[in-house]
Amino acid sequence: MRLVAAELVDSREILPRQWLQAYHAPALASGSRAGQFVHVRPGDYSGLILRRPFSFNTVDPQTGIVTIHFRTVGRGTGWFTHLRPGDTVDMLGPLGRPFEVDPRSRHLLLIAGGLGIAGVRMLADEAIRDGRQVVLLFGAASAAEVYPSNLLPDEVEYVVATDDGSLGYHGYVTDLVPEYEAWADQAFACGPSPMLAVLARQAAGRRERLGVAKLGRKRGGGKQDPLGSPAARRKAFLQVSMEQNMGCAVGACLGCVVMGVGGQPQRVCREGPVFAAEELDWEAGW
Ligand SMILES: Cc1cc2nc3c(=O)[nH]c(=O)nc-3n(C[C@H](O)[C@H](O)[C@H](O)COP(=O)(O)OP(=O)(O)OC[C@H]3O[C@@H](n4cnc5c(N)ncnc54)[C@H](O)[C@@H]3O)c2cc1C
Ligand code: FES
């Protein structure tokens, strides 16, 4: 974890109230992995005390550029939109645990609900760099909120669903998942909690529906990796990136807890934000 002064190099509104900002932060651009996040401090004159967490949207170790993609929902996110190129912010990161891709997975299904795209966007880059095929299912309320396809690598197969049918499939993005569940070796999702809960239920029944072997069954000869370990997450079909209101983002305040199976509280900032779907108690209603 490093604390860096990140210099804003570009800031633009890519969708109504959604901003893409690029910062020069070489110390964060190398070594950070998809699924991790930064904790950014609004400036001295903002009147805001707490840092705000944002997923790494993309990182480029060559140029040292890190991007974040956020929606303005309150004072903190509003404050960031007033920054101008040349301004610096104080960024702490990389924080949290990343997505874990099984080295044998060739086909990755990414599922994003709205701003959840920011949580999985970097994974598309990593997967393509590693020679994997990527399908991205993206859901939004309407065409006006659909993530622009020109911000994605050409290699990604991009499938859109809108609640009102104004673009792509008419309905929820989760409706599209069954079409891909035989193709996908693993799935990775970020979005509203109800969407993730539906995906978790779908993933739980997948093996029975398809009669497929679980990745990792041969290797390790039936040895059970501890729940929550990187090895167990690598073998999970579905990993989800969770968002909770955060205080410290380093595991101390317990402000970000979600409930794990067996009643084990899980800190989104430390044990997450990425979890294997089967680690969480989806009925707990956080
Ligand atoms: C690990 C992690 C990664 C995140 N990545 C992104 C990202 O890439 N892009 C993005 O737009 N947002 C992301 N968020 C959410 C983002 O941090 C909040 O939207 C932001 O902190 C709100 O700050 P604010 O001062 O503008 O709003 P506030 O005035 O603090 O709150 C305004 C509203 O936003 C809600 N809110 C506040 N914090 C969060 C939160 N952490 N998660 C969900 N809702 C919140 C509040 O409940 C309230 O309704 C992430 C959150 C986490 C925990
Ligand atoms: S935000 Fe403090 S423990 Fe997670």
Side-chain angles (χ1 to χ4, degrees):
M1 180 174 41
R2 291 173 285 275
L3 184 61
V4 307
E7 182 184 340
L8 184 72
V9 292
D10 190 36
S11 177
R12 49 195 165 115
E13 194 171 10
I14 55 168
L15 290 169
R17 295 176 49 234
Q18 291 190 37
W19 290 71
L20 185 65
Q21 293 193 331
Y23 289 88
H24 189 240
L28 294 177
S30 60
S32 300
R33 289 176 55 195
Q36 293 185 298
F37 65 98
V38 283
H39 215 200
V40 191
R41 191 166 80 87
D44 288 341
Y45 303 107
S46 65
L48 300 168
I49 298 163
L50 292 178
R51 290 170 178 272
R52 299 309 196 256
F54 301 104
S55 304
F56 283 107
N57 180 62
T58 58
V59 305
D60 184 346
Q62 310 300 326
T63 59
I65 298 292
V66 165
T67 68
I68 58 173
H69 168 195
F70 61 90
R71 192 202 311 268
T72 52
V73 294
R75 284 179 61 202
T77 44
W79 184 86
F80 287 109
T81 67
H82 298 298
L83 291 170
R84 294 289 167 261
D87 291 343
T88 58
V89 291
D90 175 334
M91 270 189 192
L92 183 67
L95 296 167
R97 291 176 53 187
F99 291 111
E100 299 288 351
V101 180
D102 190 297
R104 293 161 301 164
S105 290
R106 306 315 316 154
H107 298 160
L108 303 195
L109 184 64
L110 311 189
I111 306 137
L115 238 294
I117 184 70
V120 295
R121 171 65 188 80
M122 182 172 162
L123 185 58
D125 285 343
E126 287 185 353
I128 284 158
R129 179 200 63 201
D130 296 340
R132 300 186 165 95
Q133 289 179 39
V134 176
V135 171
L136 168 64
L137 307 181
F138 177 86
S142 71
E145 292 172 42
V146 170
Y147 187 73
S149 57
N150 64 356
L151 295 178
L152 290 169
D154 291 342
E155 296 88 340
V156 170
E157 184 180 332
Y158 187 35
V159 185
V160 170
T162 51
D163 299 353
D164 66 0
S166 50
L167 192 68
Y169 170 77
H170 186 176
Y172 291 139
V173 67
T174 47
D175 300 345
L176 298 172
V177 173
E179 228 178 284
Y180 293 90
E181 64 178 4
W183 172 86
D185 295 316
Q186 283 186 286
F188 304 87
C190 185
S193 294
M195 177 195 108
L196 299 180
V198 169
L199 292 172
R201 276 194 294 277
Q202 286 176 332
R206 173 180 175 269
R207 260 200 305 154
E208 286 65 34
R209 278 194 300 280
L210 299 178
V212 292
K214 196 175 179 181
L215 276 173
R217 186 172 274 172
K218 286 184 190 141
R219 204 174 44 173
K223 175 176 130 288
Q224 279 286 335
D225 296 303
L227 201 63
S229 65
R233 288 185 180 175
R234 264 195 292 281
K235 290 177 186 169
F237 174 70
L238 175 66
Q239 291 169 44
V240 295
S241 175
M242 303 293 293
E243 285 186 8
Q244 285 290 98
N245 288 355
M246 280 190 182
C248 69
V250 291
C253 73
L254 304 185
C256 63
V257 161
V258 292
M259 198 48 72
V261 289
Q264 293 290 324
Q266 303 286 318
R267 295 164 299 180
V268 169
C269 68
R270 286 302 283 250
E271 286 77 47
V274 174
F275 297 90
E278 61 252 33
E279 287 173 48
L280 300 178
D281 177 356
W282 293 97
E283 306 307 319
W286 46 78

